[in-house]
């Protein structure tokens, strides 16, 4: 089976959960870990910040990712450090640096490291390998630099079109539990703003 690499969009760092987590006086374990030299795992931090959506992306990518001999299966997009493995340890100071970048502004501090790491991964993959973006394609903030690196091999889940973050996260968690992989289509040429599909039925 071909290599399948997943790229996970980052959690927002400007919401209420971020203010709680970055508060130096916060006493819960994850916040305390961020204040230490060792920090906390990036996947744990983004799961706290984003809740259902990031947990769904991470669980799904772990289930269905297929690494190559030299490229891991799961990479997280960051605002200043390109693509990082989920287990990367980050500190409060590093998260505060992440939060300084406005992704919608086309900041080169975001684009340059992302394009660097994506190009490095592209060079290490064979021609049959697939790269799947688990994130919004409604704007070019992730899509433009990733298309530059991966071109037509950049894919995304077809069912994402028109759905909000919570709906995407719910689908990903359900498909992970069912071990039922989604269908992917190329990002290039895709309809990015489709009609919103019906709400997910309540899980039993």
């Amino acid at each position: 089976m071909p290599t399948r690499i997943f790229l996970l969009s980052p959690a927002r760092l400007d919401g209420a959960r971020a203010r709680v987590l970055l508060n130096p006086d916060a006493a819960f374990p994850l916040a305390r870990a961020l204040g230490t030299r060792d920090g906390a795992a990036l996947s744990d931090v983004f799961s706290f910040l984003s809740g259902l959506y990031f947990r769904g992306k991470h669980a799904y990518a772990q289930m269905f990712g297929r690494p190559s001999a030299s490229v891991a299966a799961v990479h997280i997009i960051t605002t200043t450090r390109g693509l990082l493995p989920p287990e990367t340890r980050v500190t409060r100071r590093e998260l505060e640096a992440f939060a300084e970048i406005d992704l919608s502004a086309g900041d080169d501090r975001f684009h340059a490291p992302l394009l660097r790491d994506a190009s490095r991964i592209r060079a290490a993959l064979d021609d049959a390998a697939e790269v799947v973006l688990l994130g919004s394609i409604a704007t070019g903030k992730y899509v433009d630099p990733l298309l530059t690196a991966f071109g037509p091999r950049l894919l995304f889940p077809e069912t994402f079109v028109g759905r909000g973050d919570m709906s995407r996260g719910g689908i990903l968690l359900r498909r992970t539990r069912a071990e039922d992989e989604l269908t992917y289509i190329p990002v290039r040429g895709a309809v990015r703003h489709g009609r919103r599909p019906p709400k997910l039925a309540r899980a039993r």
Side-chain angles (χ1 to χ4, degrees):
M1 300 179 75
T3 295
R4 180 165 291 155
I5 304 299
F6 286 97
L7 309 178
L8 282 54
S9 60
R12 295 182 64 98
L13 286 156
D14 58 355
R17 282 175 171 263
R19 289 193 290 275
V20 170
L21 186 61
L22 294 175
N23 182 349
D25 297 325
F28 55 98
L30 184 61
R32 286 206 307 268
L34 283 174
T36 67
R37 178 180 297 177
D38 290 339
L42 182 60
S43 58
D44 291 341
V45 172
F46 280 3
S47 292
F48 175 86
L49 293 172
S50 179
L52 178 65
Y53 187 30
F54 192 87
R55 284 192 293 112
K57 289 186 289 189
H58 190 217
Y60 184 90
Q62 288 184 306
M63 169 69 75
F64 297 111
R66 295 194 292 268
S68 74
S70 59
V71 180
V74 185
H75 306 262
I76 299 175
I77 299 169
T78 67
T79 56
T80 62
R81 292 178 58 188
L83 296 165
L84 294 177
E87 62 272 17
T88 302
R89 311 291 293 190
V90 293
T91 65
R92 182 180 296 118
R93 180 171 296 181
E94 288 170 311
L95 285 181
E96 290 170 344
F98 287 175
E100 292 177 359
I101 306 299
D102 179 2
L103 295 184
S104 64
D107 196 316
D108 195 54
R109 291 174 293 176
F110 167 60
H111 276 190
L114 177 57
L115 184 57
R116 174 201 64 205
D117 290 351
S119 299
R120 174 180 50 80
I121 289 173
R122 169 66 186 87
L125 296 176
D126 62 38
D127 291 341
E130 298 173 345
V131 180
V132 181
L133 171 62
L134 296 183
S136 173
I137 67 163
T139 70
K141 59 185 179 182
Y142 312 127
V143 168
D144 291 348
L146 293 177
L147 275 178
T148 299
F150 296 113
R153 73 169 55 191
L154 182 65
L155 310 175
F156 78 109
E158 184 176 25
T159 191
F160 271 21
V161 175
R163 294 189 185 277
D165 290 354
M166 294 296 286
S167 179
R168 293 173 189 163
I171 286 177
L172 292 169
L173 282 175
R174 291 182 191 192
R175 290 300 189 102
T176 302
R177 291 173 186 139
E179 300 185 17
D180 183 14
E181 195 163 9
L182 294 166
T183 298
Y184 312 114
I185 60 175
V187 172
R188 179 169 287 170
V191 174
R192 296 190 182 187
H193 302 278
R195 179 179 297 177
R196 182 179 291 272
K199 287 186 176 180
L200 291 178
R202 186 181 295 274
R204 296 181 178 178

